[in-house]
Amino acid sequence: MDKLQDILNEITATLATREERGKPADYIPPLAHVSPQHFGIAVALNEGGLFTAGEADLPFSIQSISKVFTLTLALGMYGDALWRRVGREPSGSAFNSIVLLEQEKGIPRNPFINPGALVVADALLAHARAPRETIGEILRFLRFVSDDETISADPLVARAEKATGFRNAALANYLHSWGNLMNPPDHVLGVYFHHCAVTMSCAQLARAGGFLANAGRNPVTGRSVISSVRARRINALMMTCGHYDGSGDFAYRVGIPGKSGVGGGILAIVPGVASVAVWSPGLNANGNSLLGSEALEMLSHRMGWSVF
Ligand code: DON
């Protein structure tokens, strides 16, 4: 796979010269200080081998990418019953929008917008009963899927999100008022902020997504994580909802399932082939990594990886 390594090197070199790099998220104070000059990419192939370029080993805040893993965990606990509390449709609005929640009586459009992820956090909490226990369970799951015991959450980021997360607090309280949170909003927010505050590198994230690329089974350890049907469905949700109001554009340009985070990371899945993680902290207007999207567009084009 010399060709893949060459392509990753070329993409990294091309993007290094870009002046327009987007703007790092500034509503979470520790993220505002991360330089938009960073760039890393990692590709974990199902057939074996991890290919990287740039700062692929530098940990960053995975933010909303964590929602793929909390959804996977919650589906394992509740199965299809989870869909009574959260939908599976793109929202066509911002990740932190409250607008549809009133029209749709407290049922969030999908598990990746903030209100949907809060419902998923509530479901996980109801299963484990204490925020600390739930956060531990999420971290254990991330360590299991990535086969890496070092993965953890950054308490500074979690604390900063709690201190500034008035919009998320509003969403949690609003969900509670519709009867779609079983636990105190404070507890749900605690779980949510901690899973958003997990730090991982592109290399760790690409490995962690391996089970989604490989029909539910970790391609390195061979351990089964979820069924192939469920992996396919999670990929479908990533494709339709993973980039919020930019999901259509991502599908058009990149053509593979992807989930972004405001830390500037994107996890993208090439079903049957590879799990890809990219990181560049500058965001576009929809809150998705500007250069990360561009890197994936180039990679998918050069490798013929679009599913369409
Ligand atoms: O709740 C928030 O606003 C952040 N913890 C996560 C948002 C996010 O990553 C949206 N993705 N692009």
Side-chain angles (χ1 to χ4, degrees):
M1 269 290 175
D2 288 350
K3 176 183 155 202
L4 176 56
Q5 187 62 55
D6 289 346
I7 291 172
L8 295 181
N9 294 345
E10 280 168 36
I11 291 171
T12 305
T14 305
L15 294 181
T17 61
R18 275 299 143 81
E19 285 186 9
E20 178 48 54
R21 306 184 76 85
K23 206 169 150 302
D26 56 7
Y27 73 99
I28 301 171
L31 300 187
H33 306 304
V34 182
S35 164
Q37 294 306 321
H38 289 299
F39 179 85
I41 188 163
V43 178
L45 293 178
N46 286 359
E47 65 184 37
L50 182 79
F51 294 79
T52 65
E55 296 165 295
D57 289 316
L58 207 60
F60 60 90
S61 194
I62 70 168
Q63 291 294 320
S64 287
I65 302 170
S66 60
K67 295 169 184 175
V68 172
F69 301 100
T70 53
L71 172 66
T72 305
L73 203 47
L75 284 172
M77 290 167 183
Y78 297 91
D80 283 346
L82 188 70
W83 302 121
R84 289 193 213 123
R85 300 180 57 189
V86 58
R88 301 192 294 262
E89 293 295 342
S91 67
S93 52
F95 59 88
N96 57 2
S97 174
I98 201 167
V99 175
L100 289 170
L101 215 45
E102 177 165 25
Q103 283 165 21
E104 296 176 357
K105 301 188 171 10
I107 306 292
R109 269 285 171 104
N110 68 65
F112 295 150
I113 50 173
N114 290 11
L118 287 165
V119 167
V120 170
D122 181 69
L124 295 179
L125 195 47
H127 201 262
R129 298 195 187 289
R132 191 182 294 272
E133 210 181 300
T134 308
I135 294 161
E137 196 158 4
I138 296 168
L139 286 174
R140 273 196 300 282
F141 183 63
L142 277 167
R143 290 170 187 156
F144 168 66
V145 292
S146 57
D147 195 27
D148 188 330
E149 287 301 311
T150 66
I151 285 157
S152 55
D154 181 340
L156 281 178
V157 173
R159 224 172 295 141
E161 288 209 55
K162 187 174 174 356
T164 58
F166 298 104
R167 184 81 70 102
N168 282 319
L171 289 167
N173 281 288
Y174 199 58
L175 285 164
H176 199 275
S177 78
W178 282 104
N180 201 6
L181 285 194
M182 311 302 149
N183 297 277
D186 253 18
H187 292 193
V188 176
L189 288 163
V191 171
Y192 174 80
F193 290 141
H194 274 86
H195 71 65
C196 287
V198 165
T199 55
M200 288 169 84
S201 67
C202 289
Q204 288 172 320
L205 204 49
R207 283 195 213 99
F211 73 97
L212 291 170
N214 191 43
R217 191 177 285 278
N218 183 312
V220 177
T221 63
R223 287 188 292 206
S224 175
V225 180
I226 51 175
S227 70
S228 59
V229 174
R230 185 160 288 158
R232 196 176 305 141
R233 290 178 169 161
I234 293 170
N235 286 335
L237 285 161
M238 288 171 74
M239 179 73 99
T240 52
C241 311
H243 282 72
Y244 312 107
D245 206 13
S247 299
D249 192 56
F250 189 83
Y252 181 89
R253 289 169 51 198
V254 184
I256 52 177
K259 180 75 210 80
S260 67
V262 286
I266 302 175
L267 172 65
I269 303 298
V270 191
V273 180
S275 164
V276 184
V278 62
W279 172 54
S280 179
L283 308 178
N284 64 20
N286 290 320
N288 303 315
S289 175
L290 182 74
L291 296 192
S293 312
E294 207 177 318
L296 290 169
E297 184 177 5
M298 293 193 265
L299 179 65
S300 150
H301 179 72
R302 297 275 303 271
M303 296 300 291
W305 277 349
S306 167
V307 302
F308 297 108

